[in-house]
Amino acid sequence: MTRRTMPRFRRVMVALALAGGVAVPASLHASALPPDAPPIGMICTPGTVAGSTHTFNLVAKSGTIDTPDGNSVFMWSYANADAPDNGHFQSPGPVLCATQGQTVVVHLSNTLPEATSIVFPGQDATVTATGGTPGLLTTEVATSGTVTYTFVAGQPGTYLYESGSDVVKQVEMGLTGALVIRPALGADYAYDTGTRFDPAREYLLLLSDIDPDLHHAVEVGATYDVNTLRNRYFAINGREFPDTIQDNGSALLPNQPYGSLVRIQPNTATNARPALVRMINVGAVNHPFHPHGNHTRQIAQDGRLIASTEHFGETIGSGQTEDYLLRWDDQDNWDPATNPLPVAQPNYRNLFFKDGNTWYSGSPYLGSKGTLPVGTTSQNLCGEWYFPLHSHALNEFTNFDQGFGGMGTLLRVDPPGGCFGSPTSTGLIGATLKSGAVTALGLADGTYYQVNPKTTTRPTATTAAQTSITVASAAGFPTSGPYFVRVDNEILQVTAGQGTTTWTVARGQLGTTAAGHVTGSTLTALATDWYGAFGGVPAGSQNLKVLYKGRNCGVTTTATCPVLPSNFPQQTVKVCNWTIAGAGGCSNATSTGWTTLPAPPAQPQAVGSTDLSSTWTLPGPADAYIGTGSYKGQIRVLVHTQRFTPTAPVAFSTWGDLMKIVYDAP
Amino acid sequence: MRTSVHRRTRVLVVLLLATFGLSCVGSSASAATISIELCAVTGTAPLPGGGTVPIWGFGIPAATGDCSSATASLPGPQLAVDQGDLVTITVRNALPPGHAVSFEIPGVTFDPGPADAAPGAAVSRSFTAGRPGTYLYQSGGNAGRQEAMGLSGALLVRSSVPGQAYGTPGTAYDVEAVLVLMAIDPAFNAAPDTFDLQNYRATYWLINGKGYPNTTPISAAAGQRVLLRYLNAGYDNTSMTLLGTHQQVVARDARLLTNAFPAGTETIPAGATEDTVVTVPAGSPPSSHGFPLYNRQLHLTNGPQTGTSPTPATGGGMLTFIQP
């Protein structure tokens, strides 16, 4: 193997990326993935589909992989000759996916210095070879030649493909890959109707082992003795831990595009489907694989359903495949407030933090974060759990005999529904605090964050015709855009002078009649506008959900909540889109950045003195709603409530009980 | 590879038993009394690629009681009895001094009696072949060194139902193939008493004592069911891949599986036996030689490896073909 200085630099980058809790920018991604490839989970190579024929173009070639200890290992592998990869070297070979019944055509061109081939173990249909020459196990292609293999995708399942030529050398050198056949039933079924899984949680763990001395001998044309084979690297999807937990397509690993972080959430009534973990052992030794945290249910072996059994350790033989359904049921619902653990939590002095780093949140509760020792850097985002998922042949859980490394990855369990957060601060941008603090919004516990409409006074009397008025204070009123205020039974619209104490107003608005008002009259805003701000949301988060629960009460003074019998205040909950007008776009009640949360439920909603709880979902990337720069990681949620009764205006007060966000952290 | 088209003669007995729902013939009047005599002797075995290696092996003496008329074979002679037979195996120990033979057949309970045979002595072990299946017989003496030297072989107990390995339709077969898997380190064989087993490193990987291209192909026509009786007499859990079709794993350690399953690659633990049934596909096999059956742990070489590519380049080791 060759030692290089580059990998050390690469290690530093990894450390920085981890410390920052950020993903590598997409623009740095290696090319060897489809453009819409998700950062985690199995990725199918698209190929070309024409009718019922699915065609892949592969090229056998040499290249290098990086290992976490700074080595670079010479490999042979299959590359995807189609765009966007255009033959970019990758290890292992591209994941080939086809649907049961499709005719699979694999064109293989050979740039290696010796004849090579592909065999498809587990395909019971005849594999027809076109071109090439007969070899020991299958039809081979000489250097610079091409051969085409054609077969009808048989029973659904997880399979491998690999070299059938000079097998001892070529399989060891890395000429292997995964072949997944999906049932005609649908892509979210592994086999039959009993094997439906969450398609967002489909994982591939392809196990392999590497003796770098042998690879080096092949690289330089030296002799080697396969009888002395000693594996030093043990990979999952071509990477060794901790590289295994990097995203798919990480630019840090340009020739190893496939990550193997397994990520699940506790199953709920609305998310009842398990994850699917497809395992393949392309190595030359059997690997005992051990998931921590929960049993996994083995459903199939070698692409065939078997009597289903649960395991926390299962040996996967050389050349074998096994499929598992993995689910997490939060049976006990431990909660620090309502259902605490019945045992004492460990003293953190007894916990070990590797190099001052930890995945631990500081709290044993899923979705909670706690206190960690001073100086510890937690990679934990929102109280998610991490469990090792690794070979229990512990010499394989190493990189060149140093642990931990090698054939290991992490099982990450996110809180139910995703990460969730509560506001860390509030902003009154068209309201006055009546009582309560931001902490009242953290729990649905009947303690309220209460705000009243903003008020000010007229130092002088007002005539019915007057269109320019001065007020005692403009603080808390919108600084831009037209807005309404009420004096006695008349509504005025402020059309100019916002943000100053001299307002240009239109009189007798909203069906009221212009009238005179005495000195010292109170001007009251028709609406309350306030926001809760959430901190620490990582860039790259997705599927943001906003939950708000609150009520409106009939007066602005009492500690109890008088009933509003009719004409309920209209509530509109908005989120700050930082991309519309930057940081200033959400600074006051009429800023352009506030974006009404999309139905369902439709807005505005009529909210009386009974708490109303609503959840809005913003599917896809949440980056527009996550602040950057000075507002890095901040999400703002605005509650706008307005009420006007034409004949007899009545005061109201807005009470928030719970404001929460839920999101998929990267 | 020993292949034979299965024939049975005691159909009447089987029908009679089936009437009474019996699966074990036990002391049925049909049970034969079988006496088998084996000698544990020194010898040599040919190596793939040429040359020989010293072995200790079982052989059947041509003259009763005379081990000088027995030739050690690798693996030992294939023994076949019928379910229900009363079997007595007499093992005579003609090994060099200091090597007591400890005869055993995992999965078979012998009648009470002596266990070991000292050099020059004999031991007789009797049992009723009550349950059909594939068994490995061996000598467990010298802490495994005797097995590594070659003292093991296949014992087949044929079911009372003709053509069904375990008397069930799922174990029906047309062609039987016995595959005794083992490995050899010639350096060990050259000095079996003194070799440091920490340095054991096999260089030959054999099916029935032969490495490819000397292995015997399994001849079976399309549509025929091939019973593969695997016996892992080696020290390594061994994964065998069959290209072009699945093999139905029907039994392990001479016991019928209640949940038989198809496997593309099957791992046979060291010391274990497994039975699989392969229905030969009608289509063309992947190779012009047939459907490859090979060691997926890449033990496909013969002997020392000193070149830039594993040898022989034309294939070696634990590889054979099912030839339609």
Side-chain angles (χ1 to χ4, degrees), chain A residues 136 162 169 227 282 302 320, chain B residues 201 246 264-265 287 296 309:
Chain A
L136 180 65
E162 59 186 350
K169 180 202 282 181
N227 290 322
V282 302
D302 291 353
Q320 292 182 312
Chain B
R201 181 176 292 146
H246 278 68
T265 299
S287 163
R296 179 53 182 73
S309 269

Side-chain angles (χ1 to χ4, degrees), chain A residues 60-313:
Chain A
K61 65 191 305 182
S62 60
T64 56
I65 60 165
D66 288 336
T67 59
D69 55 355
N71 270 349
S72 165
V73 181
F74 181 76
M75 302 287 292
W76 289 355
S77 187
Y78 301 106
N80 177 23
D82 293 331
D85 305 332
N86 301 316
H88 182 88
F89 179 82
Q90 69 170 74
S91 178
V95 179
L96 309 182
C97 302
T99 304
Q100 179 180 16
Q102 276 184 333
T103 298
V104 179
V105 178
V106 180
H107 299 296
L108 173 65
S109 56
N110 182 11
T111 67
L112 296 174
E114 62 182 53
T116 190
S117 62
I118 301 177
V119 293
F120 300 90
Q123 290 310 303
D124 292 356
T126 300
V127 180
T128 305
T130 308
T133 53
L136 180 65
L137 301 186
T138 190
T139 303
E140 299 181 336
V141 51
T143 301
S144 304
T146 59
V147 65
T148 299
Y149 302 99
T150 305
F151 59 93
V152 176
Q155 295 189 36
T158 304
Y159 304 94
L160 63 152
Y161 65 93
E162 59 186 350
S163 170
S165 303
D166 196 4
V167 174
V168 180
K169 180 202 282 181
Q170 293 193 5
V171 170
E172 165 65 29
M173 285 300 290
L175 286 160
T176 60
L179 169 65
V180 170
I181 296 181
R182 300 190 184 283
L185 199 57
D188 54 347
Y189 293 87
Y191 292 88
D192 60 8
T193 52
T195 60
R196 197 170 191 190
F197 60 93
D198 180 352
R201 306 189 193 285
E202 180 180 23
Y203 301 98
L204 172 69
L205 304 179
L206 183 142
L207 313 181
S208 63
D209 30 65
I210 294 169
D211 177 355
D213 290 347
L214 196 152
H215 289 243
H216 180 64
V218 171
E219 182 175 15
V220 301
T223 63
Y224 61 88
D225 180 358
V226 291
N227 290 322
T228 63
L229 190 94
R230 182 174 180 190
N231 296 311
R232 298 290 200 162
Y233 295 112
F234 302 89
I236 304 175
N237 294 344
R239 301 178 183 175
E240 297 78 20
F241 185 81
D243 290 351
T244 48
I245 60 173
Q246 287 289 315
D247 282 353
N248 291 327
S250 167
L252 306 173
L253 299 155
N255 295 343
Q256 295 144 280
Y258 302 135
S260 57
L261 177 72
V262 174
R263 189 171 166 189
I264 58 175
Q265 282 183 9
N267 287 100
T268 63
T270 55
N271 175 30
R273 290 194 220 159
L276 175 66
V277 181
R278 302 178 184 270
M279 296 193 66
I280 304 176
N281 181 1
V282 302
V285 291
N286 303 333
H287 295 295
F289 214 78
H290 172 50
H292 284 232
N294 199 3
H295 285 64
T296 59
R297 176 166 289 279
Q298 187 185 3
I299 56 167
Q301 185 169 302
D302 291 353
R304 296 292 182 273
L305 283 172
I306 60 168
S308 158
T309 48
E310 289 200 317
H311 297 272
F312 55 75

Side-chain angles (χ1 to χ4, degrees), chain A residues 364-391:
Chain A
Y365 297 96
L366 186 59
S368 296
K369 296 187 80 167
T371 306
L372 289 165
V374 172
T376 302
T377 303
S378 174
Q379 314 295 349
N380 200 287
L381 294 171
C382 62
E384 71 277 16
W385 286 339
Y386 295 89
F387 297 94
L389 193 63
H390 67 104
S391 168

